[in-house]
Amino acid sequence: PSPGYCSHKCLWNCWGQIWLSGQFPLTQNVTVTEGGTANMTCRVEYNDQTSLQWSNPAQQTLFFGDKKALRDNRIELVRATWAELTISISDIGLSDEGQYTCSLFTMPVKTTKAFLTVLGVPERPEITGFTKPAMEGDEITLICTTSGSKPAAHIRWFRNDKEVTGTKEVNATGKSFTVKSTLQLQVDQSDDGVAYTCSVEHVSLSSNPYQVTEVLEVHYAPHVEISHSVIIPQEGQYFKLECVAKGNPLPEPVLWSKDGGELPDIERMIVEGRELTITALNKTDNGTYRCEASNYLGTSGAEYVLFVYDPNAPGQQDPDHALIGGVVAVVVFITLCLIIALGRYLARHKGTYLTHEAKGSEDAPDADTAIINAEGNHAAEEKKEYFI
């Protein structure tokens, strides 16, 4: 063969390899949410007018070219050319998941697989296991359940806005999953009115999780305190006591008494709801006042001792003035102590200096000897300084 023939043959082989590679069908995997629509596309770069075909995981032909082969109203033709075959499957269910096949009817037949993944949307959750109301000290169980998810959903618990941890359980039901999460709590009065929220997260829900909330109702016995309107009650003043009662059910009504008996002056001592008002205080109002509140779980009471001051009595100073006088007296006393201590400190150090100047003369028998000893010590110190 001539060189030219060889060159043409090589060129033919080169184009043949490109053509053969372009004859291979190309597909992509598809993920769709349950109830949605899946578009399945098969393409060929180079086609010599050979037909394309889509078949389902059961190897049933769906479309051969533009010809529908399976009677299923959910399956429709989107586009059919020599280079592409696209079909759509609407109202997708979990049973539609699987491996679909695109075939190019050359010799031999070339096939490509595309996997259709169907996301099972979880059902809206519900919380069970709790019967209202709970009693303080009870152990209760909250169970959050969601079914139908694929893959399995994730459950989170929140106590008001703070996340808490539950115990998770996952069970397969056919192709989907049922997920449960359990919280076990011992409740007290601080749990009354607290909201526990179960949040279900899943890839099919994007960033919008399903949520359900249970607000706890906890019954507990009353607790009573008394608040007063005036710190230092004085004669003639308007005075109010309030019985602050907490409990669930709310303790109603509250009962007021004085010194173990009924209120003695109902014209000046007015009870309205939880409040006891004395319109004009006098010395006869002195005594112990008590309020009591009850619900079906118990009774609680609190007491307040009232002493009415006479602002005009010489023996009864205003407590505020007495307090200020006491503080001033303490400050003056501390200041005097500091002055005395400082004086003694200065006197002690001054005496030590003079004694050091006359060192050696304190043991002298007479004045002359003392002067000689003092001068000798001074000379010795000067000599010591000279040799240094």
Side-chain angles (χ1 to χ4, degrees), residues 148-170:
S149 60
K150 179 183 168 298
H154 178 59
I155 292 180
R156 300 170 68 189
W157 282 101
F158 294 89
R159 184 184 188 274
N160 291 334
D161 295 326
K162 182 179 180 180
E163 186 169 0
V164 293
T165 303
T167 302
K168 185 178 179 180
E169 178 185 344
V170 179

Side-chain angles (χ1 to χ4, degrees), residues 162-184:
K162 182 179 180 180
E163 186 169 0
V164 293
T165 303
T167 302
K168 185 178 179 180
E169 178 185 344
V170 179
N171 295 306
T173 307
K175 289 189 175 184
S176 64
F177 297 89
T178 298
V179 184
K180 292 182 180 181
S181 183
T182 303
L183 278 181
Q184 290 186 325

Side-chain angles (χ1 to χ4, degrees), residues 53-378:
Q53 171 187 289
W54 271 114
S55 55
N56 64 15
Q59 295 304 311
Q60 296 172 312
T61 300
L62 303 179
F63 267 89
F64 184 81
D66 59 356
K67 302 296 190 296
K68 187 173 183 178
L70 185 67
R71 292 184 178 179
D72 188 336
N73 295 331
R74 300 178 306 130
I75 303 173
E76 295 181 354
L77 179 65
V78 177
R79 181 178 295 122
T81 66
W82 296 117
E84 177 184 336
L85 178 59
T86 299
I87 62 172
S88 68
I89 307 173
S90 60
D91 194 19
I92 286 286
L94 295 180
S95 60
D96 294 314
E97 182 175 270
Q99 192 165 258
Y100 288 71
T101 304
C102 176
S103 303
L104 178 65
F105 281 86
T106 57
M107 293 298 294
V109 176
K110 298 182 177 64
T111 59
T112 301
K113 307 292 185 180
F115 199 89
L116 174 61
T117 300
V118 180
L119 302 177
V121 180
E123 296 178 3
R124 291 191 174 274
E126 60 178 356
I127 296 177
T128 58
F130 173 61
T131 302
K132 292 183 178 181
M135 303 299 165
E136 185 173 25
D138 284 355
E139 289 190 359
I140 66 170
T141 300
L142 299 177
I143 304 172
C144 181
T145 306
T146 180
S147 302
S149 60
K150 179 183 168 298
H154 178 59
I155 292 180
R156 300 170 68 189
W157 282 101
F158 294 89
R159 184 184 188 274
N160 291 334
D161 295 326
K162 182 179 180 180
E163 186 169 0
V164 293
T165 303
T167 302
K168 185 178 179 180
E169 178 185 344
V170 179
N171 295 306
T173 307
K175 289 189 175 184
S176 64
F177 297 89
T178 298
V179 184
K180 292 182 180 181
S181 183
T182 303
L183 278 181
Q184 290 186 325
L185 313 165
Q186 185 171 18
V187 296
D188 57 28
Q189 59 183 276
S190 65
D191 292 304
D192 185 39
V194 170
Y196 280 87
T197 299
C198 169
S199 178
V200 175
E201 300 176 350
H202 193 262
V203 62
S204 66
L205 302 178
S206 301
S207 58
N208 299 306
Y210 288 157
Q211 292 185 339
V212 62
T213 298
E214 182 75 44
V215 179
L216 300 190
E217 181 182 354
V218 181
H219 283 190
Y220 55 95
H223 175 73
V224 174
E225 295 178 352
I226 296 179
S227 65
H228 46 88
S229 60
V230 179
I231 298 176
I232 307 299
Q234 297 180 358
E235 283 188 301
Q237 284 184 331
Y238 178 92
F239 187 69
K240 180 186 293 184
L241 294 175
E242 182 180 359
C243 186
V244 182
K246 296 180 180 179
N248 193 9
L250 187 65
E252 290 284 357
V254 298
L255 301 177
W256 285 99
S257 62
K258 180 190 176 188
D259 297 329
E262 295 182 354
L263 298 176
D265 189 346
I266 59 174
E267 292 184 359
R268 291 189 309 109
M269 298 178 178
I270 303 169
V271 176
E272 293 182 345
R274 300 175 180 273
E275 296 180 348
L276 167 61
T277 302
I278 304 175
T279 56
L281 288 174
N282 59 53
K283 287 291 186 179
T284 64
D285 297 325
N286 290 344
T288 300
Y289 292 79
R290 179 178 177 83
C291 79
E292 289 187 352
S294 303
N295 63 18
Y296 76 95
L297 294 173
T299 301
S300 177
E303 294 182 346
Y304 175 80
V305 178
L306 174 62
F307 181 81
V308 180
Y309 288 86
D310 181 359
N312 299 318
Q316 293 186 10
Q317 295 183 4
D318 190 329
D320 291 340
H321 294 165
L323 179 62
I324 294 172
V327 171
V328 171
V330 170
V331 171
V332 170
F333 176 75
I334 293 174
T335 303
L336 290 175
C337 290
L338 290 175
I339 292 173
I340 293 171
L342 180 60
R344 289 186 176 182
Y345 175 80
L346 294 175
R348 185 180 298 111
H349 281 70
K350 183 176 181 182
T352 302
Y353 174 76
L354 293 174
T355 302
H356 179 71
E357 290 290 332
K359 182 165 53 177
S361 63
E362 64 254 4
D363 298 328
D366 52 41
D368 293 337
T369 306
I371 292 172
I372 293 171
N373 289 343
E375 290 177 351
N377 287 337
H378 183 65

